Amino acid sequence: MKHFLSLANLSSKEMHMLINKGIAIKKGHSKFSNKLRGKTLILLFDEPSLRTRISFEAGMLQLGGHAITYHLSESTIGKKEAPKDFAHVISRYVDLMMARIYNHETLVEITKNSKIPVINGMTNLEHPCQVLADLMTMYEKKGKLKGLKLAYVGDGLNNTTHSLLYGCSKSGVDVSVGCPKQMMPDSKVLAKAKEFAKTHGSKVHVTASASEAVSGADIIYTDSWMSYHVPHNQEKSRRKILMPYQVNRQLMKHAPKALFMHCLPAKRGAEVTDGVIDSKASIVYDQAENRLHAQKALMLWLMKK
Ligand code: CP
């Protein structure tokens, strides 16, 4: 049985297969409308969501199945019930599980004890569904992945950054991360991404200079400076540290042909200005749409359909 916890566990061939399947579903989704008839997906959330929740719910309905959204605040997990017991019980009720759980180790524990496929809907460490959709979007826009350069600027110690490092390095996309020294990507993730880059002919580079990171990039990507788990009282200090990494028109000038990506939700005026997110270079809504198509491809693959 397959799970989808990390892009580090997916081969480059599997990644390309899912991207192509996502594109096929986007072009003719009615052909897939009965593929998961009678199947049930549970969506677990311990953090808020727009895109992940709605794209999985709509995607499952469009495949003929049913989705149940379950908030951890109203559940027994971690309070009265061990993740192991939860995983065993839920496997008796439904066919597929997607979980947005902050602690990656808890998700691993649930997965080890699950008898149904598990999808990582975002943990502290990774956000693989987002990056699968991002790679599909880049492929649609640029007609290729190999040889592209993606620059990520902002908070480097971030789940989306980690999944970009894995997904891009394995797809032959050069990744350049521009971030403050105190917000560098996780060292183990970085080391693994560098290994993938060696195998797949790409490059991984980290710098404290935003302009150096974006120079000559095909894609400039950023994410929220206030991820869901960051306490509100840190907003002022983080803003001060991260302001040199804001994606604004001045920064975009270092890569005049670059497209702009953001996994959303975005705080306009913080990590990105209106002038960039509303510009012709911005493909953020295509990214958000592709969550639906890429995840439908993912669910079919995990359900062997
Ligand atoms: N990008 C993303 O995962 O969005 P949500 O937090 O709204 O699901």
Side-chain angles (χ1 to χ4, degrees), residues 75-215:
S75 95
T76 49
I77 311 166
K79 296 170 208 147
K80 280 178 75 89
E81 194 142 28
K84 178 180 178 172
D85 295 332
F86 164 79
H88 277 283
V89 171
I90 213 73
S91 300
R92 307 278 176 112
Y93 298 150
V94 300
D95 306 285
L96 183 60
M97 179 186 336
M98 190 242 54
R100 170 168 285 188
I101 292 181
Y102 177 68
N103 188 326
H104 193 84
E105 291 314 312
T106 306
L107 182 64
V108 171
E109 176 71 9
I110 287 173
T111 307
K112 272 187 200 155
N113 292 287
S114 174
K115 306 286 180 236
I116 56 172
V118 177
I119 298 170
N120 177 356
M122 194 176 87
T123 63
N124 60 322
L125 206 55
E126 287 198 51
H127 197 355
C129 291
Q130 179 63 53
V131 172
L132 185 63
D134 294 341
L135 291 169
M136 174 179 159
T137 312
M138 286 157 60
Y139 185 74
E140 280 182 324
K141 298 288 174 189
K142 296 285 185 182
K144 63 173 186 177
L145 289 176
K146 204 167 177 60
L148 295 178
K149 174 181 172 178
L150 179 140
Y152 176 93
V153 282
D155 177 7
L157 185 55
N158 168 293
N159 42 33
T160 302
T161 321
H162 293 158
S163 292
L164 281 169
L165 280 163
Y166 287 150
C168 289
S169 60
K170 281 193 164 190
S171 311
V173 176
D174 294 343
V175 199
S176 183
V177 179
C179 62
K181 287 202 166 63
Q182 58 271 56
M183 295 182 193
M184 292 265 289
D186 177 89
S187 57
K188 283 186 194 152
V189 172
L190 202 51
K192 221 188 247 189
K194 284 184 178 173
E195 282 301 312
F196 294 146
K198 262 190 222 162
T199 312
H200 296 281
S202 54
K203 290 183 211 139
V204 170
H205 176 65
V206 182
T207 170
S209 161
S211 56
E212 183 192 323
V214 304
S215 175

Side-chain angles (χ1 to χ4, degrees), residues 45 47-55 100 121-122 127 129-130 134 160 221 223 228 262-265 287-288 291 295:
F45 286 97
E47 285 180 321
S49 170
L50 166 62
R51 282 142 290 270
T52 304
R53 175 176 172 176
I54 307 302
S55 58
R100 170 168 285 188
M122 194 176 87
H127 197 355
C129 291
Q130 179 63 53
D134 294 341
T160 302
Y221 197 121
D223 191 5
Y228 291 124
H262 190 310
C263 59
L264 304 179
Q287 269 180 275
R291 291 289 303 272
Q295 289 162 188

Side-chain angles (χ1 to χ4, degrees), residues 64-77:
H66 180 73
I68 298 170
T69 293
Y70 186 52
H71 290 279
L72 290 176
S73 58
E74 65 197 45
S75 95
T76 49
I77 311 166

